[in-house]
Amino acid sequence: MSTITDLAKANVKMDKTKSILIVLSILLTTLLLAAVSGAGYGLIKMQEANAARFYGDFYGRYRNITQQNIEEMMRHAAFCDIGKYANYAEVDNKKDLVLQWRDKKAREMLYTDNYFIEGHYPEAENEIAAAPNFFKQLGLQEPKIGDSVTIYFRTNLKSAYASEEFVICGLMKQSEEIETNSMVAYTSQKHFEKSVLEADRKYWVLFRLDESINLTMTNAEDVMKELAVSCGIDEKDVIINNKYLSWKLNPETETVIICAMVCVVVIIFSVIVIYNIFQVGVIHKIQEYGKLKAIGATRKQMKQIIFREGMYLACIGVPIGLIGGIGVAQAALMYIIRDLMKNDISFEQIQISVVSVPILILVAALAFLTVWIALKKPMRVVASISPVEAIRYQESGKKAGRRKGKNTLNVVSLTFANLASHRKRTFSTILSMGLSVVLFVVAANWMGNMEEEYAARDVILHGQFQIELNYRMKDEAYPENNLNHILENNPLNEELIQKIQAIPEVTDIRTQKILYAVQLDVNGKETDNLQSILVLDREDFDNKVKKDEVDGLDYDQMSALDAVCYGWIGDMEDSGFVLGETYHFSLYDGVDKKTWNPQMISSFGYFDASMAMTKDTYEKMGWKGVTNYNLWIDCDKKDVETVGIALEKLLEEVEHVEMDSYQNQLKIAEYAMRILKMPAYLFCIIIAFISFMNMANTMIISIVTRKHEFGVLQAVGMTNTQLDRSLQLEGILLSVGTAVVSLAVGSPLGYAFFRYCKSQAFVGLNTYHFPIVEVLAMLLALGILQLLLSFILSRNIKKESLVERIRYRG
């Protein structure tokens, strides 16, 4: 027994190059398995510990709820926790500022206390708490606890703004990187009840369900809707907290499935790589194994030599891989946590360990299993060796393929002859490397098409800045806020445009128009159904059709029919509009009223207006009013800050408008995509590196076994330069084969994956384009690694004397 073990160790020590390659492959395999499983375990633990804080500690919520509905819920045994809040007042400001009240239970469910920098939640009638930016919008540049602030607010569109003085009792966290037009301030229950009549109070209700309720992710929505109906609540007012429920009811399934799939892929590629390395080594030493068989070694003993050799190397690579994997997983998790801390104002630092003894034992077992699977065929080959055939065996013999003779021999023909004589090994190397790089190509088709710029342009369609009308449709207390009245004295007029043009750095201004519409009944009388009609030019129309993938919608056809498109397909059913029907509207531009009877021919996914017409239709109708809805201002990138300051100053006294910038939307998009891209690319790089070890092994073994051949060739005139070129060409051909396989298989799979991700509304995905930059970067990296490997191998060969190489017999 000890003799077999000693022989296996001697083989490992004798063939150091092969042993190092195998240890590295096992190490990287274990590292990746440990990193993936450790990161998955860490994410699960982080989500379990913080799911409530991330998504709220509630199962769902009901909106537009009366006190009577709440009392019905409280009588129902199914509800064990109920919290309520109300957005009950809007503040008179250019930004969208809201006053909100939350009861104690709602604050607990939403972790409101996590947001406080200092102070406390309002208790007295005149107390208020908010982020500093809220108070800055009201003119208080450096708000402090105890400061007084006067706020003009109203509780509905029928009432006028009233002023009231508040005392700041709490300051809350805010994002310093991302600007927003919507901000909330918190007030006390006393102020809410004083400001809103009991009959007019409407709430948002958060709830948890009793454990006796048989709730699953499959039936959660149906159960909550049934409970809503039993309490007199409309089904349409039910909102499920899906993310929280997925962790509460089935916390690990999705993450475990993803991690398991990744681990299976890692194992498959690792088996191929380790098998190839061992198989080449077995073939190289087949005569030695034949001699062992000839002196009496049994089949079992022959298998044990290979098995113990592999396990001995695994015992070196697996522990190091486990340690490295834990480090990578912990670093990846801390990267995610730091990113959350940076951008999620409610997030507090937590210490999550990725170390789980059962998982580490499982990973080690999987790593050893991977090695065992890779050894199965080499073990069978060694066990079935015939001593006579083994002693007569030449690696370049019949089984390996024959080289065709040639009258003349050059570098290219020599290289092709060597690859052809080992077709199986060459094909296996190219296939395994190509399939591993397929993962990179698939990921690149997703991530390479995920564009921060596109996501930002989805909001800011043109230029660097957008100035947009801020209007209402049914403001009874302040009708001047309604679109029809704003159009009568549109602030986005020619005078403002000329002032913007006078800013030296401004290079272009683009406009988009809008009309006010009142739907008419069958008798031609105006109803209370008010709409806004956006005017789309050909470019914006075609871009919207392309983005929303609206089949059969054509600008010229729509213009010829003078038809209309609905603005939000998700709201169409509730609005009562039906495709194919003809509707009657009275349109108004602030000057003239005109009747319009369009057919509703299609619907977009979503935009900020009720409906849309084409610019051709708008111009045919001959409107005279100032109907600008959007102004897009462009400038050089270096002048963005200067122009932004100038625009803000220009708009200080302009009402009914709000401004946003492309750079701000770009920051929001970058944050949304950053966490997705880095782990995916890291995984692909590690997989590609593991597979690169396969190519390295193929070239190393090929060169080592041909030392004698190279020595003879150089003895008869082959120069060092020709030797270098031959090795470089061999590596290039393997790299080219890898690229062909990866692109042939990865491109269609990548496109299919892109289509799936786009259908799931992943951020930043629009028009597919082949990820040429990512693929070229991959090919460049592959080429550089191959050239570096060829250089190192060539240099090592040339260190030996010509005589030593000629005398080499393996």
Side-chain angles (χ1 to χ4, degrees):
M1 188 69 70
S2 60
T3 304
I4 293 176
T5 302
D6 293 339
L7 185 59
K9 290 181 179 180
N11 286 341
V12 168
K13 293 176 182 178
M14 183 178 65
D15 200 344
K16 293 181 180 178
T17 301
K18 184 191 78 172
S19 298
I20 290 172
L21 285 171
I22 293 172
V23 168
L24 283 175
S25 298
I26 296 171
L27 186 155
L28 289 170
T29 300
T30 310
L31 184 148
L32 196 52
L33 290 173
V36 170
S37 58
Y41 172 78
L43 285 172
I44 289 172
K45 297 299 291 184
M46 184 176 72
Q47 290 279 25
E48 286 180 345
N50 298 279
R53 184 163 56 181
F54 288 159
Y55 313 120
D57 191 13
F58 59 94
Y59 287 22
R61 57 180 131 188
Y62 298 148
R63 62 186 175 188
N64 298 325
I65 305 304
T66 65
Q67 184 61 36
Q68 183 179 353
N69 296 139
I70 295 174
E71 290 171 1
E72 288 291 333
M73 291 176 67
M74 294 175 69
R75 284 192 287 266
H76 206 300
F79 299 98
C80 61
D81 287 307
I82 297 174
K84 58 184 178 180
Y85 67 93
N87 294 322
Y88 69 93
E90 64 171 27
V91 178
D92 186 15
N93 193 271
K94 288 183 179 180
K95 300 282 188 179
D96 185 12
L97 308 184
V98 175
L99 299 184
Q100 185 183 107
W101 163 75
R102 294 178 178 179
D103 71 1
K104 183 178 179 181
K105 181 57 69 173
R107 296 199 299 273
E108 290 175 359
M109 289 178 166
L110 295 169
Y111 285 77
T112 305
D113 291 343
N114 284 21
Y115 289 80
F116 278 88
I117 301 171
E118 57 178 322
H120 59 85
Y121 192 86
E123 297 174 358
E125 184 180 299
N126 67 335
E127 288 184 330
I128 191 169
N133 277 348
F134 183 95
F135 298 114
K136 288 179 182 179
Q137 294 301 318
L138 303 175
L140 200 59
Q141 295 304 310
E142 295 183 3
K144 299 181 181 66
I145 299 294
D147 285 353
S148 296
V149 59
T150 300
I151 298 179
Y152 289 83
F153 67 92
R154 61 174 177 171
T155 58
N156 57 64
L157 297 180
K158 296 180 180 180
S159 61
Y161 290 106
S163 65
E164 192 166 332
E165 188 173 275
F166 290 85
V167 176
I168 299 175
C169 68
L171 292 174
M172 311 185 79
K173 299 174 185 178
Q174 66 186 21
S175 174
E176 298 296 339
E177 287 192 355
I178 299 172
E179 299 177 10
T180 177
N181 285 319
S182 300
M183 286 174 273
V184 174
Y186 301 101
T187 58
S188 66
Q189 180 176 355
K190 293 177 182 178
H191 187 270
F192 166 66
E193 292 177 349
K194 181 197 79 170
S195 302
V196 183
L197 295 175
E198 186 173 355
D200 295 333
R201 292 172 192 165
K202 292 291 182 69
Y203 303 92
W204 285 78
V205 174
L206 312 173
F207 59 87
R208 294 172 57 82
L209 298 180
D210 190 86
E211 293 182 359
S212 62
I213 302 296
N214 181 25
L215 198 68
T216 66
M217 283 303 297
T218 305
N219 71 1
E221 185 172 0
D222 292 335
V223 169
M224 293 182 198
K225 285 183 176 180
E226 288 177 10
L227 292 171
V229 172
S230 69
C231 296
I233 301 168
D234 196 311
E235 284 187 358
K236 290 185 290 187
D237 291 324
V238 178
I239 300 172
I240 312 300
N241 192 358
N242 282 313
K243 290 186 177 180
Y244 173 76
L245 284 178
S246 68
W247 287 98
K248 179 69 177 176
L249 302 177
N250 199 11
E252 303 172 355
T253 302
E254 184 176 344
T255 303
V256 169
I257 288 174
I258 292 173
C259 291
M261 290 175 62
V262 172
C263 288
V264 168
V265 171
V266 172
I267 290 172
I268 290 172
F269 286 115
S270 299
V271 165
I272 294 173
V273 172
I274 296 170
Y275 158 73
N276 279 337
I277 297 174
F278 260 103
Q279 184 71 2
V280 171
V282 166
I283 292 172
H284 177 50
K285 298 173 66 176
I286 202 164
Q287 289 186 345
E288 180 180 328
Y289 291 125
K291 293 173 183 177
L292 289 173
K293 200 76 176 289
I295 61 176
T298 66
R299 288 175 59 88
K300 183 177 180 181
Q301 288 173 327
M302 296 298 291
K303 287 183 177 181
Q304 282 294 310
I305 293 172
I306 300 297
F307 176 76
R308 294 184 188 184
E309 187 177 335
M311 291 300 113
Y312 181 74
L313 295 172
C315 288
I316 299 172
V318 169
I320 301 173
L322 287 175
I323 295 171
I326 291 171
V328 170
Q330 192 71 53
L333 191 64
M334 292 310 298
Y335 169 82
I336 294 172
I337 290 175
R338 281 197 303 270
D339 214 54
L340 286 170
M341 289 175 60
K342 183 179 179 182
N343 294 282
D344 188 335
I345 60 175
S346 70
F347 195 86
E348 297 177 2
Q349 185 169 8
I350 54 175
Q351 296 297 325
I352 296 291
S353 174
V354 300
V355 178
S356 167
V357 174
I359 289 178
L360 289 178
I361 293 173
L362 177 62
V363 167
L366 286 174
F368 279 102
L369 177 65
T370 301
V371 176
W372 179 74
I373 294 172
L375 295 175
K376 291 286 286 182
K377 187 173 181 181
M379 288 166 63
R380 287 199 303 270
V381 171
V382 170
S384 60
I385 288 176
S386 165
V388 176
E389 290 181 0
I391 292 171
R392 296 172 57 190
Y393 179 83
Q394 295 293 323
E395 189 187 358
S396 59
K398 185 176 180 180
K399 288 188 178 180
R402 293 185 179 276
R403 299 186 186 182
K404 294 181 179 180
K406 294 181 180 292
N407 293 325
T408 59
L409 192 65
N410 55 37
V411 170
V412 175
S413 60
L414 179 65
T415 303
F416 274 101
N418 177 63
L419 293 177
S421 66
H422 304 285
R423 293 185 183 90
K424 189 174 181 181
R425 187 176 68 192
T426 302
F427 177 78
S428 175
T429 300
I430 290 175
L431 183 62
S432 61
M433 284 189 61
L435 290 178
S436 66
V437 180
V438 162
L439 295 175
F440 182 90
V441 176
V442 171
N445 274 273
W446 166 45
M447 291 178 287
N449 284 286
M450 186 183 286
E451 302 172 1
E452 294 91 342
E453 294 81 1
Y454 167 73
R457 280 290 171 224
D458 196 32
V459 180
I460 310 297
L461 301 184
H462 309 284
Q464 292 290 342
F465 298 92
Q466 174 179 281
I467 303 175
E468 183 179 75
L469 283 184
N470 185 4
Y471 66 86
R472 299 292 180 86
M473 296 299 287
K474 294 182 179 181
D475 192 334
E476 296 181 22
Y478 296 95
E480 63 270 21
N481 292 337
N482 292 328
L483 179 60
N484 56 331
H485 291 287
I486 291 175
L487 290 177
E488 292 171 359
N489 189 20
N490 195 335
L492 303 184
N493 53 29
E494 191 61 34
E495 181 183 352
L496 177 64
I497 292 174
Q498 289 178 1
K499 289 180 180 179
I500 295 173
Q501 287 174 333
I503 300 173
E505 293 80 7
V506 170
T507 58
D508 185 46
I509 299 177
R510 184 166 177 162
T511 64
Q512 185 179 61
K513 302 183 182 299
I514 196 169
L515 292 170
Y516 176 83
V518 181
Q519 189 174 356
L520 305 177
D521 62 19
V522 292
N523 297 318
K525 293 184 179 180
E526 293 186 353
T527 66
D528 61 354
N529 192 352
L530 308 180
Q531 310 292 337
S532 54
I533 311 292
L534 196 64
V535 180
L536 299 177
D537 63 18
R538 184 181 294 275
E539 179 184 351
D540 289 344
F541 182 93
D542 290 342
N543 287 339
K544 191 65 178 170
V545 169
K546 190 175 183 180
K547 175 186 178 296
D548 292 354
E549 297 185 339
V550 184
D551 295 332
L553 187 58
D554 178 77
Y555 181 89
D556 291 324
Q557 179 188 12
M558 186 166 163
S559 297
L561 295 173
D562 290 329
V564 67
C565 269
Y566 198 74
W568 185 13
I569 193 169
D571 186 54
M572 192 169 183
E573 184 178 349
D574 292 337
S575 69
F577 289 101
V578 179
L579 295 182
E581 295 291 328
T582 298
Y583 296 95
H584 308 283
F585 299 100
S586 173
L587 304 185
Y588 183 55
D589 69 344
V591 176
D592 296 328
K593 282 187 176 182
K594 298 183 180 183
T595 300
W596 187 40
N597 306 312
Q599 182 185 16
M600 184 81 66
I601 65 170
S602 190
S603 175
F604 289 114
Y606 172 78
F607 58 66
D608 291 330
S610 307
M611 302 177 189
M613 66 164 57
T614 66
K615 187 177 180 181
D616 289 357
T617 297
Y618 174 87
E619 291 176 347
K620 277 189 282 183
M621 298 180 78
W623 298 103
K624 299 176 182 178
V626 179
T627 56
N628 293 329
Y629 170 59
N630 275 315
L631 298 184
W632 291 297
I633 299 97
D634 203 6
C635 63
D636 290 336
K637 192 174 181 180
K638 62 182 177 62
D639 297 323
V640 166
E641 185 175 354
T642 303
V643 173
I645 294 171
L647 289 174
E648 287 179 354
K649 186 175 181 181
L650 191 62
L651 297 176
E652 283 179 354
E653 304 301 324
V654 180
E655 295 183 339
H656 305 302
V657 298
E658 57 187 28
M659 186 176 81
D660 198 359
S661 70
Y662 170 75
Q663 295 300 323
N664 180 54
Q665 290 299 324
L666 191 60
K667 287 180 182 178
I668 295 172
E670 286 172 348
Y671 166 62
M673 298 178 192
R674 187 163 53 240
I675 296 180
L676 290 173
K677 286 187 174 183
M678 185 175 177
Y681 274 130
L682 182 61
F683 167 72
C684 292
I685 289 170
I686 294 176
I687 281 286
F689 188 70
I690 290 176
S691 211
F692 177 75
M693 299 299 297
N694 192 18
M695 184 175 79
N697 166 70
T698 300
M699 293 187 65
I700 290 170
I701 298 299
S702 175
I703 288 169
V704 169
T705 56
R706 288 184 293 154
K707 279 185 182 181
H708 172 76
E709 180 181 321
F710 288 140
V712 172
L713 288 171
Q714 287 200 285
V716 297
M718 185 180 190
T719 65
N720 284 334
T721 302
Q722 289 174 320
L723 176 61
D724 291 342
R725 288 178 179 173
S726 176
L727 296 178
Q728 289 169 4
L729 180 58
E730 193 169 315
I732 289 171
L733 291 174
L734 290 174
S735 299
V736 169
T738 298
V740 170
V741 171
S742 63
L743 294 178
V745 179
S747 295
L749 289 178
Y751 178 73
F753 188 57
F754 164 83
R755 296 296 307 172
Y756 170 77
C757 291
K758 184 175 181 181
S759 70
Q760 298 300 310
F762 275 52
V763 64
L765 295 180
N766 181 30
T767 304
Y768 176 81
H769 62 271
F770 185 76
I772 186 67
V773 174
E774 287 81 0
V775 170
L776 287 177
M778 175 200 72
L779 296 178
L780 180 63
L782 197 63
I784 291 173
L785 286 172
Q786 171 268 316
L787 289 174
L788 182 63
L789 179 62
S790 299
F791 172 78
I792 293 172
L793 293 176
S794 175
R795 188 175 179 181
N796 286 338
I797 287 178
K798 289 183 287 188
K799 282 182 179 179
E800 297 181 359
S801 69
L802 193 60
V803 174
E804 287 177 324
R805 277 179 268 163
I806 293 174
R807 294 173 59 188
Y808 179 79
R809 289 292 184 272

